[in-house]
Coordinates of all heavy atoms in Angstrom, one line a residue:
S172 N 83.6 187.5 96.1 CA 83.8 187.1 97.5 C 85.2 187.0 97.9 O 86.0 188.0 97.9 CB 83.0 185.8 97.8 OG 82.8 185.6 99.1
K173 N 85.8 185.8 98.2 CA 87.2 185.7 98.6 C 88.0 186.1 97.4 O 89.2 186.6 97.5 CB 87.5 184.3 99.0 CG 87.1 184.0 100.4 CD 87.6 184.9 101.5 CE 89.1 184.5 101.9 NZ 89.5 185.3 103.1
G174 N 87.6 185.8 96.2 CA 88.3 186.3 95.0 C 88.3 187.8 94.9 O 89.3 188.4 94.4
A175 N 87.2 188.5 95.3 CA 87.2 189.9 95.4 C 88.2 190.4 96.4 O 88.9 191.5 96.1 CB 85.8 190.4 95.7
E176 N 88.4 189.7 97.5 CA 89.4 190.1 98.5 C 90.7 190.1 97.9 O 91.5 191.0 98.0 CB 89.3 189.2 99.7 CG 90.1 189.5 100.9 CD 89.9 188.5 102.0 OE1 88.8 188.0 102.2 OE2 90.9 188.3 102.7
A177 N 91.1 189.0 97.1 CA 92.3 189.0 96.4 C 92.5 190.1 95.4 O 93.5 190.7 95.3 CB 92.5 187.6 95.8
A178 N 91.4 190.3 94.6 CA 91.5 191.3 93.6 C 91.8 192.7 94.1 O 92.6 193.4 93.5 CB 90.2 191.3 92.8
L179 N 91.2 193.0 95.2 CA 91.4 194.3 95.8 C 92.9 194.5 96.3 O 93.5 195.5 96.1 CB 90.5 194.6 97.0 CG 89.0 194.7 96.6 CD1 88.1 194.6 97.8 CD2 88.8 196.1 95.9
H180 N 93.4 193.4 96.9 CA 94.8 193.4 97.3 C 95.7 193.6 96.0 O 96.7 194.3 96.1 CB 95.2 192.2 98.0 CG 94.8 192.2 99.5 ND1 95.3 193.2 100.3 CD2 94.0 191.4 100.2 CE1 94.8 193.0 101.6 NE2 94.0 191.9 101.5
L181 N 95.4 192.9 95.0 CA 96.3 193.0 93.8 C 96.3 194.4 93.2 O 97.3 194.8 92.7 CB 95.8 192.0 92.7 CG 95.9 190.5 93.0 CD1 95.3 189.6 92.0 CD2 97.4 190.1 93.2
S182 N 95.1 195.1 93.3 CA 95.1 196.4 92.8 C 96.0 197.4 93.6 O 96.4 198.4 93.0 CB 93.7 196.9 92.8 OG 93.3 197.4 94.1
V183 N 96.3 197.0 94.8 CA 97.2 197.8 95.6 C 98.6 197.4 95.4 O 99.5 198.3 95.3 CB 96.8 197.7 97.1 CG1 97.8 198.4 98.0 CG2 95.4 198.1 97.4
L184 N 98.9 196.2 95.3 CA 100.2 195.6 95.3 C 100.9 195.6 93.9 O 102.1 195.6 93.8 CB 100.3 194.3 95.9 CG 99.8 194.2 97.4 CD1 99.6 192.7 97.8 CD2 100.9 194.9 98.2
L185 N 100.0 195.5 92.8 CA 100.6 195.3 91.5 C 100.2 196.6 90.7 O 99.1 196.8 90.3 CB 100.0 194.1 90.8 CG 100.3 192.8 91.4 CD1 99.7 191.6 90.6 CD2 101.8 192.6 91.5
P186 N 101.2 197.4 90.3 CA 100.9 198.6 89.5 C 100.3 198.4 88.2 O 99.6 199.2 87.6 CB 102.3 199.3 89.4 CG 103.1 198.7 90.4 CD 102.6 197.3 90.7
G187 N 100.5 197.2 87.6 CA 99.9 196.9 86.3 C 98.5 196.5 86.3 O 97.9 196.2 85.2
V188 N 97.8 196.5 87.4 CA 96.3 196.2 87.5 C 95.6 197.5 87.2 O 95.7 198.4 88.1 CB 95.9 195.5 88.8 CG1 94.4 195.4 88.8 CG2 96.6 194.2 88.9
D189 N 94.8 197.6 86.1 CA 94.2 198.8 85.8 C 92.8 199.0 86.2 O 92.3 200.1 86.4 CB 94.2 199.0 84.2 CG 95.6 198.9 83.7 OD1 96.4 199.8 84.0 OD2 95.9 198.0 82.9
A190 N 92.1 197.9 86.5 CA 90.7 197.9 86.9 C 90.4 196.7 87.8 O 90.9 195.6 87.5 CB 89.8 197.9 85.7
V191 N 89.5 196.9 88.8 CA 89.1 195.8 89.6 C 87.6 195.9 89.7 O 87.0 196.9 90.0 CB 89.7 195.8 91.0 CG1 88.9 195.0 92.0 CG2 91.1 195.3 90.9
V192 N 86.9 194.7 89.5 CA 85.5 194.6 89.7 C 85.4 193.6 90.9 O 85.8 192.4 90.8 CB 84.7 194.1 88.5 CG1 83.3 193.8 88.8 CG2 84.9 195.0 87.3
A193 N 84.8 194.1 92.0 CA 84.7 193.3 93.2 C 83.2 193.0 93.5 O 82.5 193.9 93.8 CB 85.3 194.0 94.4
L194 N 82.8 191.7 93.2 CA 81.5 191.3 93.5 C 81.4 190.7 94.9 O 82.2 189.9 95.3 CB 81.1 190.2 92.5 CG 81.2 190.5 91.0 CD1 80.8 189.3 90.2 CD2 80.5 191.8 90.6

Side-chain angles (χ1 to χ4, degrees):
S172 193
K173 286 299 283 188
E176 189 178 324
L179 292 168
H180 278 301
L181 292 174
S182 78
V183 176
L184 297 169
L185 297 181
V188 174
D189 302 297
V191 163
V192 176
L194 307 181

